[in-house]
Amino acid sequence: MSRSTLHFLRPYLNRGLQPAVKPELASAYCAFQRRFAQTIAADAYTGRHDVEKQKRLEQLRKMKPLSEYHPRLANHANGEHMSLKDFHAQYDELPENPDRVSVFGRVRSVRMLGSKLMFLDIERDSLRLQIMIEVKKLENYDEALEAFKAFKKVVGRGDWVSFHGQPIRTSTGQLSLLALQVPNIVAPCLHHLPEKVESAETLARNPHLHQLTNNEPGDILRLRALIYDFIRQSLVQSEFLEVETPIFDVNAGGAIARPFETVANELSNTPVRLRIAPELNLKRLIVGGQDKIFEIGRVFRNEGVDNTHNPEFSTCEFYEVGATLPALIDRTEKLVCGLDNAVEILRSSYFPSLEKPEGIDFKAPFAQLPFIPTIEQACGRSLPDLSSTTATQDLIAMFNDLSITVPPNPTLPRLLDTLAEEYIEPLCINPTFITHHPEALSPLSKSYVCPTTNQRIASRVELFINSREYVNAYEEENSPFEQRRKFMQQLEFHSDLEQGSREVDESYLEVLEWGMPPTGGWGCGLDRLVMLFANKKRIADVLPFGTLRNVVSIAKNK
C-alpha cells in the first residue's frame, strides 16, 4: 500500500512538527490509512468485480469475513460426510431411530415457510436431497436462532452448504434431512445461478455454467464413460493387453494429416510433433512380440474444425496377430451391437436427457458395399486404371463429365474420397461396411489385384453408420518392401506444400525388417461413437469443453 493513499490528508502531515498540527491527528491518519490499506488488500484477492458480484460480496461480509467462507470440511462425531447416493441407499427404508448424519451439496432451491421454517434442495453427483430446517429443533436454541437468522439472509442458489441432522420423512412422505445444527456455507457462489441459459456463446465460454443449468452435459459424460468402459472390457475379456505409446513423436506417422509441431528444449531444440495416430508405435510392439494389444488415447491433427472434426480427439486402436479381414468384421459387429444393447439398457437411468438415435437398425450381419463396383453402378461409368500414371487426369475428366465439383488440389486419394462421399456414403444409414478400397486410399494395409475389377485394392473395410465413418480396419502391410513403395507413392500423391518436411519413416521400415507377423488392425473414433448414441450432429455437443475454438475462447474469457 502506497503512502499516497488518501492524499487529500497529506497537507496536514506535510506540516510535520509545526505547532498548529496536533500529534494525535497524524496518528489518527496513519491508523486510518493502515485500516484502509488492509481493506484494499483483501479486495485484491476477490478478482474482477461486476455489480452483481459486488452485491454478493457485501452480503456475505455482513455475516462473517470472507476468509471464513471456505473452511476445511469438518467431521462430526458420527464420521465423515455421507454422499447423497449413500444417503438415499441407506435411508430409503427409514429405521425408527436413524443415526445422525452429515451431508453437503450445492443448493438448488431455497423456500421459506414463515420466519422459522426453511426448506432447501441440495444436489451432488446428479442426486438431490431436501433439507428441512426448523428453528425450534436446532441444538442450543438461543445461539442457533441468531445464527439461523444470519444464515437465511446469505444462503442462495449455487452455494455449497454442509448440514448435520437426522434422516426423516416429511408429512408428504419425502425422504429428507432434518437439520439439528445451523448449516455451514463451505463454498459460496459469488454469481447469480440462472435456471437456464439460452445464449450458445455464453455456454461455450462457460462450460461449468452449461453443466450447472442443463442435465445434458453430465449425461454425455456418463455416456462417454460407458462407451470407453464397454470397449475396454470387451477387449480385455478377449485377452487384449492395454498399452500406452508416446504422444510426442518425430515423424507423426500412421495417417496423412498435418501435425502440430513444437520443440524439445532439453534436446537442443529438436523439432517434435504431436502424434496424429498411435498406429506405427503399436505395430512396433507387435514386432516386439506382443500378440493382442490396444490403446485408448488422444490424437492431434492440425487441420480444420467442423461439425464432425476437431483437431484433438479420442481413438481406440487394437492390433491382433493372425486376425484376417473376416475376423475383424466379426469382432466389429459384436462390439457395436453389444455397445448398442448396453447403452439402451442404461439410457433411462444414467442419461435420460439423451434421445435414442432413430431409424438405425444395429442387427448383424451388417451390409457390405464394395468400393469400385458401387461407384460404377451409381454413376454409370467405369473407373480408369487407378494404377496408371494418368489416373488422376482421367478421374478429373470423369468428374467434369458427371458435373461433379473437383476438390481443391485434386490428388488421386482426394478424388476417390469425393466419389465415395457422392455415391457410397449416402447409402450407409444402417451399419454398413465399405470394402475393397483402391490401394491409393490405404497405404498401410495389404493389397492385391481384385479378380472382379482388375484394380489393385486394399484388404480393408470401413464401417459407416448414418453416412458417417466410425471404424477403419485392415490387414496390415508387413512387407518392408511393399510398405516403402506405398510410402513413396503417398509422397507423390501430395504437393510440396502438403508434404512440408514429411519424409518416409525409415525407422518404421527398419522395424518391419525384423519381421512383423500377419496382423489385423482396427481403429475407431470414440467421439463419433458418443455423437451416435447421444443422437448429436455436432462433435462440439459431446465434448465437455467444446472444440478447439471453444477452448481458445474459454482461455480468452474476460
Side-chain angles (χ1 to χ4, degrees):
M1 181 69 184
S2 167
R3 295 291 294 189
S4 63
T5 305
L6 304 182
H7 56 84
F8 55 86
L9 288 179
R10 188 177 298 165
Y12 296 96
L13 287 181
N14 288 343
R15 293 174 186 149
L17 301 176
Q18 292 184 18
V21 180
K22 296 181 180 180
E24 303 84 61
L25 179 60
S27 300
Y29 162 73
C30 292
F32 181 63
Q33 188 176 19
R34 283 194 296 271
R35 291 182 61 187
F36 189 78
Q38 291 171 358
T39 303
I40 297 296
D43 281 348
Y45 294 104
T46 60
R48 292 176 282 124
H49 288 200
D50 52 28
V51 174
E52 171 196 304
K53 179 179 173 182
Q54 184 63 41
K55 289 181 178 179
R56 179 61 170 155
L57 290 171
E58 292 172 358
Q59 181 188 47
L60 292 169
R61 285 194 187 99
K62 291 178 181 179
M63 182 175 175
K64 56 186 178 181
L66 294 180
S67 60
E68 297 181 15
Y69 275 102
H70 298 83
R72 294 181 62 199
L73 205 57
N75 291 335
H76 293 274
N78 62 321
E80 296 185 354
H81 288 71
M82 178 179 285
S83 70
L84 299 192
K85 179 180 179 181
D86 291 342
F87 183 93
H88 282 284
Q90 185 167 335
Y91 297 109
D92 185 54
E93 295 183 3
L94 197 63
E96 290 186 9
N97 297 303
D99 297 330
R100 292 186 175 193
V101 298
S102 299
V103 298
F104 73 101
R106 186 185 292 276
V107 174
R108 283 299 189 172
S109 70
V110 180
R111 306 180 299 281
M112 293 296 305
L113 274 68
S115 61
K116 297 184 179 180
L117 181 61
M118 172 186 276
F119 288 91
L120 302 94
D121 290 329
I122 64 170
E123 182 180 56
R124 181 181 170 194
D125 196 21
S126 301
L127 295 175
R128 294 204 176 194
L129 175 65
Q130 178 175 266
I131 307 294
M132 177 179 174
I133 308 174
E134 192 172 4
V135 175
K136 66 181 181 181
K137 294 187 178 180
L138 294 174
E139 298 173 346
N140 303 319
Y141 177 81
D142 292 335
E143 295 179 8
L145 179 60
E146 294 303 316
F148 172 77
K149 290 179 179 179
F151 172 77
K152 71 179 184 179
K153 289 180 181 178
V154 299
V155 69
R157 292 185 70 249
D159 292 344
W160 281 86
V161 183
S162 171
F163 303 88
H164 181 69
Q166 191 171 36
I168 63 167
R169 286 199 180 273
T170 62
S171 57
T172 61
Q174 182 174 353
L175 180 62
S176 306
L177 180 75
L178 175 64
L180 300 177
Q181 297 177 3
V182 176
N184 185 27
I185 298 177
V186 296
C189 180
L190 303 183
H191 301 274
H192 169 65
L193 179 58
E195 291 285 350
K196 190 175 182 180
V197 178
E198 300 289 350
S199 170
E201 182 179 355
T202 299
L203 295 178
R205 288 177 174 269
N206 301 276
H208 51 283
L209 182 59
H210 192 191
Q211 294 197 50
L212 287 172
T213 57
N214 195 316
N215 291 329
E216 193 173 87
D219 285 355
I220 288 175
L221 287 176
R222 282 183 285 277
L223 172 62
R224 180 181 289 273
L226 170 65
I227 291 172
Y228 283 37
D229 185 65
F230 182 88
I231 292 176
R232 175 176 281 112
Q233 293 304 317
S234 296
L235 293 174
V236 169
Q237 289 172 10
S238 297
E239 300 182 338
F240 280 81
L241 176 69
E242 184 170 10
V243 299
E244 290 184 337
T245 58
I247 296 291
F248 289 115
D249 210 335
V250 175
N251 295 313
I256 302 300
R258 181 179 292 109
F260 286 93
E261 298 183 344
T262 185
V263 295
N265 295 336
E266 292 297 317
L267 301 176
S268 302
N269 293 326
T270 300
V272 294
R273 298 168 176 176
L274 297 181
R275 68 182 183 186
I276 59 177
E279 178 169 351
L280 300 187
N281 281 330
L282 287 170
K283 287 193 280 191
R284 286 181 168 96
L285 296 179
I286 291 292
V287 173
Q290 302 305 315
D291 201 70
K292 293 181 176 182
I293 56 174
F294 76 97
E295 179 174 10
I296 294 176
R298 308 290 276 177
V299 295
F300 310 86
R301 299 183 182 182
N302 196 1
E303 298 178 342
V305 178
D306 58 30
N307 283 343
T308 59
H309 295 87
N310 188 49
E312 176 185 7
F313 58 99
S314 298
T315 67
C316 174
E317 292 195 12
F318 75 69
Y319 294 85
E320 180 179 4
V321 172
T324 60
L325 210 54
L328 295 173
I329 290 173
D330 180 65
R331 189 178 293 280
T332 302
E333 290 175 338
K334 291 178 180 177
L335 197 62
V336 173
C337 292
L339 180 57
D340 172 63
N341 185 57
V343 168
E344 296 313 318
I345 289 175
L346 298 175
R347 185 178 295 276
S348 61
S349 301
Y350 286 87
F351 20 86
S353 70
L354 304 180
E355 297 180 359
K356 177 181 178 180
E358 297 181 356
I360 299 177
D361 184 3
F362 286 93
K363 183 179 179 180
F366 299 159
Q368 297 187 21
L369 295 175
F371 192 102
I372 295 174
T374 302
I375 291 175
E376 292 180 337
Q377 182 178 356
C379 71
R381 303 283 197 284
S382 295
L383 295 187
D385 180 2
L386 300 178
S387 299
S388 70
T389 56
T390 61
T392 300
Q393 289 71 30
D394 294 340
L395 278 180
I396 291 175
M398 178 178 167
F399 270 61
N400 293 331
D401 188 39
L402 294 170
S403 299
I404 300 175
T405 302
V406 176
N409 191 16
T411 62
L412 183 58
R414 281 185 175 168
L415 292 168
L416 292 170
D417 275 334
T418 302
L419 288 175
E421 292 170 4
E422 182 77 18
Y423 294 114
I424 307 179
E425 294 175 15
L427 305 177
C428 305
I429 303 303
N430 290 326
T432 303
F433 289 109
I434 298 177
T435 67
H436 300 82
H437 297 71
E439 180 188 70
L441 291 175
S442 309
L444 293 170
S445 69
K446 296 193 78 66
S447 57
Y448 59 95
V449 176
C450 175
T452 303
T453 63
N454 206 35
Q455 301 266 23
R456 285 199 65 84
I457 62 171
S459 183
R460 172 193 180 192
V461 296
E462 289 179 295
L463 176 65
F464 275 73
I465 306 172
N466 210 13
S467 301
R468 288 179 180 166
E469 179 194 354
Y470 288 88
V471 171
N472 185 24
Y474 42 81
E475 295 175 7
E476 303 292 338
E477 180 58 76
N478 61 341
S479 164
F481 319 117
E482 277 294 285
Q483 189 62 80
R484 179 179 295 277
R485 178 183 68 82
K486 292 173 182 178
F487 276 163
M488 296 177 68
Q489 183 186 62
Q490 287 299 309
L491 293 181
E492 295 175 1
F493 286 149
H494 298 276
S495 68
D496 292 339
L497 179 63
E498 286 183 301
Q499 289 179 29
S501 60
R502 194 176 293 145
E503 298 176 353
V504 170
D505 190 341
E506 293 290 347
S507 65
Y508 175 67
L509 293 174
E510 193 269 339
V511 170
L512 291 184
E513 292 174 0
W514 289 86
M516 185 172 88
T519 300
W522 183 95
C524 176
L526 299 182
D527 300 302
R528 289 194 178 182
L529 273 184
V530 180
M531 290 172 63
L532 173 66
F533 290 108
N535 199 26
K536 296 297 179 183
K537 295 181 179 180
R538 301 189 317 139
I539 192 171
D541 293 334
V542 301
L543 300 174
F545 296 92
T547 63
L548 181 60
R549 288 196 184 100
N550 301 125
V551 172
V552 171
S553 68
I554 292 169
K556 293 181 177 180
N557 196 10
K558 302 296 183 182

